Amino acid sequence: MAQKPEKMQISLYLSAFIDIGGVMPKRLDILIVGAGLIGLSTADALLSRGCGVTVIEARSGPARGTSYANSGMIHPSQSRPWNVASPMRSGALRSVHELALTSRTLLQDSLISLGLFKDNPVPGCYKIYPDMMSAREAQKRYDEEGVVSRAVLDAEATLGHPALYFETDLWGNARDYALALEADLKNRGATFIYDAPDLRIRRGHQGVTAQMKGHVFQSDHIVIAAGPQSPELLAALDIDIPMTPLRGFAVNFEKPDMQLPFAPLMDAQSHSAMTVFEDQLRLSGTINQASARPLLQRWCELAPQVMRELKPATEIWSGLRPMSKAGRPYIGGTDVPGLWVNTGHGHMGWTLCAGSGNLITKMIMDDETDERFKLG
Ligand SMILES: Cc1cc2nc3c(=O)[nH]c(=O)nc-3n(C[C@H](O)[C@H](O)[C@H](O)COP(=O)(O)OP(=O)(O)OC[C@H]3O[C@@H](n4cnc5c(N)ncnc54)[C@H](O)[C@@H]3O)c2cc1C
């Protein structure tokens, strides 16, 4: 978030401190591993609190892992975990939903401050079902979860399919956001180190150390936001972070010149979506398929008129959702002093990024605890 006023307040506070001859409080230096949506949002929140922030990333730029091409939905409505049998009983659903609602507001503010928020004529997201009876049954479950939806059938918005409409969800291009946020963070003083796949994190005498090619990073805290690669990074420290990454695909097309759905359209059956961004149409989702073919076949069934108009795809991509086995992200400290995790956001990472960055910052800076997201 480009929170310039808050930053100014911090420097005013510091100069007042110097004027009265006080001792300057020590600035905390934080190393964040991973420049995906979660690492960038963590950097954003920590920088806003006056920390020194260094982000270290294995790839050559920001948002080149799972955050590269998601479906763009900021959808608290979809907080139900995909891999937990009784999410209500485990508390995972409620925890994720609460964090998602906070995160949506923070993310909207951040999108506005970066000049990226589109006041879409039709907000929200749609989810289509085979028939109206299935839509109404699903609606009952959403009601029980405290999620408001409306059953609709519309020739344009739902391509004529029975659907549920989640009016308070938002959507936007996560990669555009990540690129704009990274530029903003650099302007505000964050350091980014790219092409750094060889980072080694080890337990030291006084906590944790990070090293790369003989260089030891000096930091007060380290936050692991390495998405689906987080478990292997933490395994070197004997920390088990239970995750089952789930592969998804995204296929980008030039936007065809025709009437298209104005808000993302999810398909309940295939866990995929059609999202029409400003400059492209994207089909994305599915779970652990070997290729993008099932995704394309499904949308040929659902939207034959649209699919007929599409030129060959401009890009086919696949990525792993960092799906935690607990059905909710892991946000908090570890048994190694100074080592934190912010990962495991599964199918909700775009929705939860701002809220998760904010939460871990409160834990590090204010000693706040939140048992809902603890590791283990
Ligand atoms: C097809 C698809 C559609 C999706 N749609 C949505 C959606 O509509 N809404 C939503 O809320 N979420 C959606 N998601 C989920 C969301 O995209 C992810 O949860 C989110 O991108 C995860 O972000 P991350 O920062 O944790 O991981 P990543 O983006 O993978 O970032 C982790 C970074 O850490 C780096 N890294 C790893 N190991 C190391 C190391 N040892 N040293 C240095 N760097 C390292 C990686 O290179 C990577 O850049 C979707 C996901 C997929 C796959």
Side-chain angles (χ1 to χ4, degrees):
M1 252 178 293
Q3 289 174 330
K4 305 233 160 63
E6 194 178 320
K7 203 175 162 200
M8 217 164 71
Q9 268 173 10
I10 288 167
S11 53
L12 280 175
Y13 164 77
L14 289 179
S15 55
F17 215 86
I18 293 162
D19 282 351
I20 58 167
V23 181
M24 284 258 280
K26 182 185 176 303
R27 184 187 80 157
L28 284 184
D29 285 314
I30 319 256
L31 183 71
I32 297 168
V33 184
L37 286 166
I38 304 301
L40 293 169
S41 301
T42 304
D44 185 16
L46 285 165
L47 211 54
S48 297
R49 292 289 302 272
C51 296
V53 170
T54 300
V55 181
I56 185 150
E57 166 57 53
R59 294 177 163 97
S60 55
R64 300 210 171 172
T66 313
S67 305
Y68 183 76
N70 66 30
S71 309
M73 294 177 286
I74 301 163
H75 50 14
S77 68
Q78 304 304 307
S79 298
R80 188 186 305 152
W82 288 1
N83 56 348
V84 175
S86 313
M88 286 289 234
R89 230 180 308 145
S90 71
L93 170 56
R94 191 167 175 181
S95 314
V96 176
H97 193 227
E98 284 166 2
L99 182 61
L101 292 174
T102 313
S103 191
R104 180 194 55 192
T105 308
L106 292 170
L107 189 50
Q108 184 169 356
D109 290 348
S110 191
L111 282 160
I112 291 169
S113 83
L114 291 168
L116 293 176
F117 187 69
K118 306 269 177 313
D119 202 2
N120 295 309
V122 178
C125 298
Y126 292 87
K127 192 168 194 177
I128 53 182
Y129 294 86
D131 49 61
M132 206 34 112
M133 203 159 79
S134 328
R136 296 235 184 257
E137 269 165 25
Q139 189 176 32
K140 274 191 221 145
R141 280 213 314 277
Y142 281 112
D143 278 350
E144 285 162 17
E145 293 167 12
V147 173
V148 176
S149 65
R150 191 147 47 85
V152 290
L153 192 154
D154 183 285
E156 282 171 22
T158 71
L159 299 173
H161 296 283
L164 292 183
Y165 176 44
F166 304 97
E167 193 172 358
T168 54
D169 287 349
L170 303 171
W171 56 282
N173 190 321
R175 183 161 160 76
D176 287 354
Y177 174 74
L179 297 181
L181 181 57
E182 188 243 19
D184 183 61
L185 293 171
K186 277 183 176 162
N187 279 337
R188 288 159 54 200
T191 302
F192 283 81
I193 301 171
Y194 289 115
D195 294 309
D198 305 322
L199 187 74
R200 293 158 70 86
I201 299 179
R202 294 286 177 265
R203 287 174 196 255
H205 293 303
Q206 289 169 333
V208 63
T209 60
Q211 299 183 24
M212 199 178 68
K213 292 180 188 143
H215 174 79
V216 180
F217 290 94
Q218 299 299 334
S219 64
D220 299 293
H221 298 273
I222 298 178
V223 181
I224 306 296
Q229 286 84 37
S230 302
E232 64 189 63
L233 206 53
L234 289 161
L237 295 146
D238 292 326
I239 296 174
D240 181 30
I241 180 155
M243 242 201 256
T244 316
L246 298 183
R247 184 165 296 286
F249 281 85
V251 187
N252 288 331
F253 298 91
E254 208 176 280
K255 198 162 129 182
D257 187 15
M258 65 187 295
Q259 192 66 49
L260 292 162
F262 357 79
L265 199 53
M266 287 173 262
D267 172 37
Q269 185 184 307
S270 61
H271 286 289
S272 71
M274 174 187 282
T275 314
V276 183
F277 294 110
E278 215 168 346
D279 55 346
Q280 61 188 324
L281 182 150
R282 178 175 299 160
L283 301 175
S284 50
T286 66
I287 300 179
N288 285 347
Q289 298 288 348
S291 74
R293 187 180 289 266
L295 172 70
L296 297 172
Q297 277 169 346
R298 179 66 182 148
W299 284 94
C300 283
E301 290 161 22
L302 293 171
Q305 318 86 318
V306 177
M307 296 303 279
R308 264 196 301 274
E309 294 300 316
L310 296 178
K311 293 192 183 137
T314 53
E315 190 173 19
I316 301 179
W317 169 89
S318 89
L320 291 170
R321 301 174 185 90
M323 195 68 74
S324 85
K325 287 195 180 163
R328 41 87 181 160
Y330 303 119
I331 306 170
T334 65
D335 65 351
V336 182
L339 183 68
W340 304 79
V341 292
N342 193 358
T343 190
H345 296 75
H347 68 292
M348 293 290 289
W350 174 217
T351 310
L352 295 173
C353 64
S356 305
N358 193 47
L359 181 58
I360 197 146
T361 297
K362 287 194 207 153
M363 291 175 173
I364 296 173
M365 301 297 291
D366 307 328
D367 288 332
E368 205 170 291
T369 51
D370 193 327
E371 294 291 302
R372 295 173 304 169
F373 301 105
K374 73 174 181 199
L375 188 56

